[in-house]
Amino acid sequence: MALRYEEAIARYEPSLGLEVHVELATVSKMFCGCNTVFGAAANTQTCPVCLGLPGALPVANAKAIEYTIAIGLALNCSVAPFSRFARKNYFYPDMPKNFQTSQYDEPICTNGYLDITIDTDEGSKDFRIEIERVHMEEDTGKSLHMGGATGRIHGADYSLLDYNRAGIPLVEIVTKVIDGTGRHAPEVARAYVSELRDILRALGVSDVKMEQGSLRCDANVSLRPIGSEKLGTRSETKNVNSLKSVERAIRGEIIRHAELLNSNQRVIQETRHFHEDTGLTTSGRSKEQAEDYRYFPEPDLVPIAPSKEMIEKIAATLPEKPSVRRKKLQEAWQAPDKEMAAMINADVLDLVEATVKLGADPTRARSWWLGEIARIANERSVAASDLAISAADVAEIVALIVKGELTDKLARQVVEALINGEGRVGQIIQSRGIKVVSDDSSLMAAIERAIAAAPDVAEKVRGGNIPASGALIGAVMKESKGQADAAKVRDLLLKHLGQG
Amino acid sequence: MTYMSSISRDDVANLAKLARIDLSEDELAGLVKELSVILDAVARVQEVAGSDVPPTSHPLPLVNVFRQDQVRPSLTPEEALSGAPAQEGKRFKVPQILGEE
Ligand SMILES: [Zn+2]
């Protein structure tokens, strides 16, 4: 019998630590000129430097350094006047050099924070997430594990390595221990990653595509009995690849830890793998045994010493903070807090903004993105932004509704057809024969027929019983198979019966 | 200050395991001795440097050597793989490992 989350949280206080890795959107790699395009054929983007061939000399990418400083500044960090790269030695073949160039005790940026807000049933709650460090490193190659039962590490017979990704600039953003979030821990983690992603996107330093791995989150979770000071043993869940998964993985780990602690078992400090399908984690390699990184300063790369001018220049280019931008949008759109939270949660804020920019009224724009489109996205377990419907489509649909050429009901059909790839708005309306019946004479004829079929009802309406008109309107709508504009039918009908 | 520079048999055995080098007991014992000599020599150098001498990581007093973010031609996969002991599907083929994607 699995423990319920509420039971776990009633006994234990969770502490989190989040490590986010973000691939920078430079065109070339961190220490060499190899291309960084995603999805190229295996081993077409390598050179002596990123393959670690003898005698190759790495040189740091200026843009990557600038981007890292920009990230640090956006996260309210101090930028170190002097920092060095370090070799992180290890013996996995995902780095052909036998080490990963990283930073150890001298990260570029330290001691920042990021404020986030979550929406709870007791109203919105603010949290400040303290940032420990922002440092530079390089991404590793990709391993394909062949043979064995699962294709995962265990039971694999051999591995195949593609080094296209090896050496792509990677920034690691590490939080301090996040405490005091109680039962909100999973949502806080999600909100943090989401906010961080928005900031990185606004900075233009990464394409922040979680599904392609350009933004990855490792989540450390530990529990301690409520009232106890000492942090419990943590587990580290690796490479959680969507916002939803961040929340699920942490929730799952809290329950798993609580079950162990409740039955007097020990939580093992280890790496865990998150499985999207079950929402559970399984044990990965054990840390205590397998790691001995022997960090030392990288002798081939000279230290980074950003001047005050360089830092000021980068600071001057920082874009508006996403939180400030959201406040402005909320005011301009007159959107209630709940709806703002819903748009952020569904990740449709940019889409709504684009729809409004194309002329749609803000209320209609957000009701489409949060309503019908979100519903379909949810049904298909994809993000709204991944559906085949654009801000321009929605703006066009809204314009047609305003002009009276589409009813809400017909517009929903168009939205669904768009998402199903049936063509553009105009084509769909034509090929599906979607048309608002607005021709007054044919509507009037239908109204006459409805009255003739129910003269007693018509009499009631004539006598001032307006609600009774519903039955007649319904009959007309039924006859038009829902294509008539109900408001128009009501107008014509009431006028005809002397009530208009 | 004195510097202890002993490396134990277990340290060497663990490093050998991580590096996937299969060592016999005799080889282990030999390496413990040899590595200890090297570590002792390094420790003597450390004794010479006072606390006022910062550790050197780079022989030249240079900072901020960067390259512009420009793509340059890479090797072909054939060139990249030319030194690989084994390959499959234009990828480097390696023995079963403990690792991740
Ligand atoms: Zn390269």
Side-chain angles (χ1 to χ4, degrees):
Chain A
M1 173 70 195
L3 193 70
R4 282 171 44 235
Y5 179 72
E6 289 71 21
E7 291 165 343
I9 232 64
R11 285 192 67 176
Y12 302 101
E13 175 71 32
S15 301
L16 306 177
L18 298 168
E19 293 169 19
V20 169
H21 286 92
V22 57
E23 270 184 4
L24 298 182
T26 54
V27 297
S28 67
K29 288 189 181 179
M30 183 66 222
F31 303 113
C32 62
C34 287
N35 208 319
T36 56
V37 167
F38 180 80
N43 291 307
T44 52
Q45 294 169 182
T46 71
C47 74
V49 172
C50 56
L51 287 176
L53 300 185
L57 189 67
V59 185
N61 185 329
K63 183 136 261 172
I65 305 282
E66 280 165 31
Y67 281 176
T68 308
I69 293 173
I71 294 169
L73 292 173
L75 297 174
N76 310 292
C77 289
S78 323
V79 180
F82 182 90
S83 76
R84 280 184 291 197
F85 287 104
R87 290 190 180 183
K88 180 183 182 179
N89 298 278
Y90 65 76
F91 301 96
Y92 307 142
D94 62 4
M95 279 314 271
K97 301 190 287 193
N98 257 8
F99 63 85
Q100 179 186 29
T101 306
S102 180
Q103 293 195 292
Y104 183 49
D105 52 355
E106 298 168 296
I108 299 190
C109 307
T110 54
N111 286 323
Y113 62 85
L114 179 59
D115 290 329
I116 56 133
T117 304
I118 59 164
D119 191 43
T120 74
D121 38 15
E122 303 141 27
S124 64
K125 282 198 158 102
D126 299 328
F127 293 90
R128 171 159 291 185
I129 310 297
E130 309 263 1
I131 310 279
E132 169 94 33
R133 58 190 284 157
V134 175
H135 77 246
M136 283 243 60
E137 56 186 37
E138 57 181 334
D139 213 343
T140 58
K142 267 196 159 167
S143 325
L144 266 177
H145 302 293
M146 308 299 285
T150 59
R152 267 273 175 202
I153 302 130
H154 294 290
D157 297 316
Y158 61 96
S159 302
L160 296 177
L161 271 300
D162 169 10
Y163 292 123
N164 283 349
R165 200 179 64 182
I168 289 185
L170 200 63
V171 164
E172 182 173 333
I173 301 158
V174 185
T175 66
K176 293 184 181 169
V177 174
I178 305 168
D179 244 335
T181 56
R183 71 187 170 94
H184 300 305
E187 294 117 281
V188 167
R190 178 194 173 130
Y192 166 73
V193 178
S194 165
E195 184 72 25
L196 186 57
R197 189 184 58 164
D198 286 352
I199 287 180
L200 296 167
R201 187 188 283 142
L203 287 171
V205 298
S206 169
D207 65 12
V208 293
K209 287 188 179 150
M210 290 189 87
E211 70 286 0
Q212 287 184 4
S214 49
L215 182 79
R216 317 195 277 269
C217 179
D218 299 344
N220 296 329
V221 175
S222 71
L223 295 189
R224 61 178 193 276
I226 285 175
S228 158
E229 292 289 308
K230 197 172 157 278
L231 291 179
T233 306
R234 68 170 196 271
S235 63
E236 183 178 358
T237 303
K238 283 272 183 196
N239 290 348
V240 188
N241 287 335
S242 72
L243 291 179
K244 208 174 185 179
S245 297
V246 170
E247 199 174 332
R248 285 173 78 211
I250 289 174
R251 206 179 159 90
E253 279 299 278
I254 288 173
I255 295 173
R256 189 182 67 84
H257 283 216
E259 278 172 343
L260 287 170
L261 296 171
N262 277 354
S263 55
N264 288 318
Q265 293 180 68
R266 203 168 67 91
V267 174
I268 301 165
Q269 184 177 332
E270 62 178 353
T271 301
R272 313 270 310 173
H273 293 295
F274 179 68
H275 303 278
E276 291 279 347
D277 45 354
T278 57
L280 300 174
T281 65
T282 54
S283 177
R285 71 197 143 114
S286 173
K287 270 209 160 172
E288 296 99 322
Q289 272 296 304
E291 287 175 18
D292 192 350
Y293 291 141
R294 310 249 155 171
Y295 282 97
F296 64 83
E298 165 58 82
D300 287 345
L301 289 160
V302 303
I304 309 157
S307 64
K308 229 178 120 214
E309 294 73 42
M310 178 179 175
I311 296 169
E312 278 167 5
K313 208 174 127 200
I314 296 170
T317 64
L318 293 185
E320 184 174 60
K321 274 194 179 137
S323 55
V324 174
R325 173 182 158 236
R326 282 197 301 267
K327 265 207 188 83
K328 281 190 188 162
L329 290 178
Q330 184 170 10
E331 268 169 37
W333 298 347
Q334 303 269 304
D337 287 351
K338 277 268 173 215
E339 281 194 31
M340 268 323 269
M343 282 185 274
I344 293 161
N345 212 26
D347 201 18
V348 295
L349 205 62
D350 291 345
L351 291 163
V352 174
E353 190 189 17
T355 310
V356 172
K357 268 194 187 141
L358 291 166
D361 139 77
T363 308
R364 285 186 196 263
R366 65 174 187 265
S367 84
W368 280 102
W369 285 108
L370 282 179
E372 186 64 7
I373 301 170
R375 186 189 64 74
I376 295 173
N378 215 19
E379 210 173 79
R380 303 185 186 185
S381 297
V382 295
S385 56
D386 290 336
L387 293 174
I389 182 165
S390 67
D393 294 329
V394 178
E396 191 176 349
I397 290 169
V398 169
L400 290 171
I401 295 171
V402 172
K403 272 196 275 177
E405 291 177 22
L406 278 180
T407 59
D408 275 9
K409 190 175 167 188
L410 293 174
R412 278 199 292 277
Q413 293 178 26
V414 177
V415 164
E416 190 159 9
L418 270 166
I419 291 171
N420 291 337
E422 290 179 26
R424 307 310 338 143
V425 175
Q427 294 168 312
I428 290 165
I429 289 176
Q430 207 154 51
S431 65
R432 284 200 167 200
I434 293 172
K435 212 175 107 204
V436 175
V437 179
S438 59
D439 172 12
D440 288 3
S441 62
S442 70
L443 268 186
M444 277 317 295
I447 287 168
E448 298 280 10
R449 281 194 291 279
I451 291 170
D456 49 331
V457 179
E459 207 43 54
K460 278 185 198 161
V461 179
R462 273 193 196 96
N465 185 349
I466 306 292
S469 66
L472 298 172
I473 297 167
V476 176
M477 292 305 290
K478 201 174 164 198
E479 198 188 313
S480 77
K481 298 198 175 70
Q483 302 238 337
D485 178 345
K488 180 129 203 176
V489 173
R490 186 174 189 277
D491 273 0
L492 289 171
L493 177 84
L494 291 180
K495 233 176 246 159
H496 190 64
L497 296 176
Q499 299 296 331
Chain B
M1 229 194 293
T2 56
Y3 292 91
M4 293 295 297
S5 65
S6 64
I7 185 163
S8 71
R9 183 209 158 274
D10 287 352
D11 287 337
V12 179
N14 187 41
L15 281 173
K17 191 175 140 240
L18 292 177
R20 289 175 179 74
I21 300 171
D22 194 12
L23 294 178
S24 68
E25 272 305 320
D26 281 357
E27 286 169 319
L28 262 180
L31 272 173
V32 169
K33 254 189 238 155
E34 283 174 32
L35 289 171
S36 293
V37 170
I38 294 168
L39 289 172
D40 284 342
V42 174
R44 261 202 300 283
V45 176
Q46 280 181 313
E47 267 171 52
V48 175
S51 56
D52 54 330
V53 180
T56 302
S57 61
H58 302 80
L60 300 170
L62 283 175
V63 295
N64 298 341
V65 175
F66 302 132
R67 40 172 281 276
Q68 292 312 301
D69 181 27
Q70 277 159 4
V71 175
R72 309 189 80 201
S74 294
L75 298 174
T76 64
E78 291 73 23
E79 286 167 336
L81 286 153
S82 60
Q87 53 174 287
E88 187 177 305
K90 299 270 167 73
R91 289 174 166 88
F92 293 81
K93 185 174 175 182
V94 299
Q96 178 190 341
I97 39 140
L98 187 67
E100 293 149 55
E101 275 98 277

